[in-house]
Amino acid sequence: MSVAATPMKSAAKGTKADAKPFDWEDPFFLDDQLTEEEAAIRDAARDYCQDKLMSRVLEANRHEKFHREIMNEMGALGLLGSTLPEKYGCAGANYTTYGLVAREVERVDSGYRSAMSVQSSLVMHPIYAYGTEEQRMKYLPKLASGEWVGCFGLTEPDHGSDPGGMKTRAVTVPGGFKVSGSKMWITNSPDAQVIVVYAKTDPAAGSKGMTAFLVEKGFKGFSIAQKLDKLGMRGSPTGELVFQDCEVPEENVLGKVGGGVNVLMSGLDYERIVLAAGPTGIMQACFDLVLPYLHERKQF
């Protein structure tokens, strides 16, 4: 996929003495380099997060509750899969904008950012980058609107994200594959309608033996098992996926058989944007709290 980012305005064209000094009152002072479109989307995301998400943070974290409607709300604003083409119901924005959206969401809560970015980066992007046109048209509009929630099945109960240790297997059967195994610590899984899942089709082939599949909630042999209790990011639902000879039709292979590592890395590389940009929102939230205190506190 090639998404051309809108060139940002030049930062400082004059001498070092002419450069704008860092403003502790406005840690995001570099935002004045944004295009009008980037700034407008940032502002829309900020307004939504401050007005609609902030009020749900305490309840979500205290009671480990995921407000399912936030996916519909984010979808209506174009915050899901924001860099993908409008043809599929997405915003067609650039990567800078995606980072800005992640920053504003994580400024309120990391859990909400996780739900949004997993859907956008690890589900929608691989479908766009490696899916057939039929797969794109079937899944992306529903994911973009928030009608469907998606999740990403890689990690397993007895190991982390190392594909080499993967135990989930997919064997060829007439008309498709049967997938067997389980995935653990899967963000969005308790509410997911579609899963991008990775399984070994040729265990002896190493990285070339892994294949990506699109599994729907109603497929025979698939179930969503336990929902996990967590210490942090409690507003983001996390759980276990179980595949017991799950029947996956041939047309639900994502990319090529044996090409799963390419699909996997396309999503993980894309996710790096929000994993870098999102924490700057946490930093801003810290400034939001501490700066008034520093100005108002009286000592001696």
Side-chain angles (χ1 to χ4, degrees):
M1 183 185 74
S2 175
V3 179
T6 303
M8 295 181 70
K9 298 176 183 177
S10 175
K13 296 182 179 179
T15 65
K16 188 173 182 180
D18 294 329
K20 183 178 178 181
F22 188 84
D23 182 357
W24 286 100
E25 296 289 344
D26 180 17
F28 289 157
F29 75 108
L30 293 179
D31 278 7
D32 62 10
Q33 301 175 30
L34 301 178
T35 66
E36 290 184 5
E37 180 181 7
E38 290 165 350
I41 295 175
R42 174 205 61 194
D43 292 345
R46 179 180 298 170
D47 291 344
Y48 168 72
C49 293
Q50 296 296 319
D51 295 342
K52 302 295 183 181
L53 292 189
M54 185 69 78
S55 60
R56 297 180 240 190
V57 169
L58 287 179
E59 181 186 14
N61 283 276
R62 283 174 177 168
H63 304 292
E64 202 160 14
K65 178 179 179 180
F66 176 60
H67 294 271
R68 171 62 182 83
E69 65 272 15
I70 71 169
M71 302 302 277
N72 303 95
E73 296 167 2
M74 288 183 171
L77 287 173
L79 304 185
L80 300 177
S82 57
T83 65
L84 303 185
E86 295 179 15
K87 174 182 180 180
Y88 305 109
C90 303
N94 60 31
Y95 289 107
T96 298
T97 303
Y98 185 33
L100 293 168
V101 169
R103 187 184 76 185
E104 293 304 329
V105 177
E106 193 144 0
R107 184 177 179 177
V108 169
D109 185 68
S110 295
Y112 289 134
R113 192 277 306 155
S114 180
M116 178 273 292
S117 65
V118 164
Q119 177 128 330
S120 300
S121 302
L122 301 178
V123 181
M124 296 178 70
H125 177 74
I127 292 174
Y128 174 72
Y130 285 91
T132 64
E133 187 61 17
E134 290 75 16
Q135 289 172 337
R136 293 173 181 174
M137 293 305 299
K138 179 178 182 180
Y139 295 108
L140 290 180
K142 291 180 179 179
L143 291 164
S145 69
E147 178 185 349
W148 277 20
V149 172
C151 69
F152 158 80
L154 177 64
T155 57
E156 298 184 350
D158 55 357
H159 73 277
S161 56
D162 172 26
M166 184 180 297
K167 294 183 178 179
T168 301
R169 300 288 186 259
V171 297
T172 305
V173 297
F177 296 82
K178 282 191 175 182
V179 178
S180 297
S182 62
K183 302 292 182 179
M184 184 64 83
W185 306 294
I186 308 302
T187 300
N188 289 353
S189 62
D191 296 88
Q193 283 78 38
V194 61
I195 301 94
V196 177
V197 65
Y198 297 87
K200 289 288 186 70
T201 45
D202 185 358
S207 63
K208 295 183 179 179
M210 184 173 67
T211 302
F213 298 92
L214 291 166
V215 173
E216 295 180 27
K217 186 176 182 179
F219 281 5
K220 184 177 179 180
F222 169 69
S223 62
I224 299 171
Q226 60 178 319
K227 181 179 182 294
L228 302 175
D229 293 329
K230 297 187 299 182
L231 179 64
M233 296 175 67
R234 289 166 57 83
S236 172
T238 305
E240 180 184 13
L241 307 174
V242 177
F243 305 86
Q244 296 177 311
D245 288 331
C246 176
E247 299 177 4
V248 183
E250 186 175 1
E251 60 266 25
N252 277 52
V253 171
L254 182 56
K256 297 179 180 180
V257 174
V261 69
N262 296 322
V263 180
L264 171 65
M265 295 311 300
S266 75
L268 291 176
D269 288 345
Y270 187 81
E271 176 79 345
R272 300 296 183 253
I273 300 170
V274 293
L275 295 182
T280 65
I282 297 177
M283 297 178 208
Q284 177 63 56
C286 292
F287 274 113
D288 293 341
L289 289 172
V290 74
L291 286 177
Y293 175 75
L294 291 176
H295 287 300
E296 297 169 5
R297 179 173 182 257
K298 303 300 181 183
Q299 186 175 5
F300 306 119

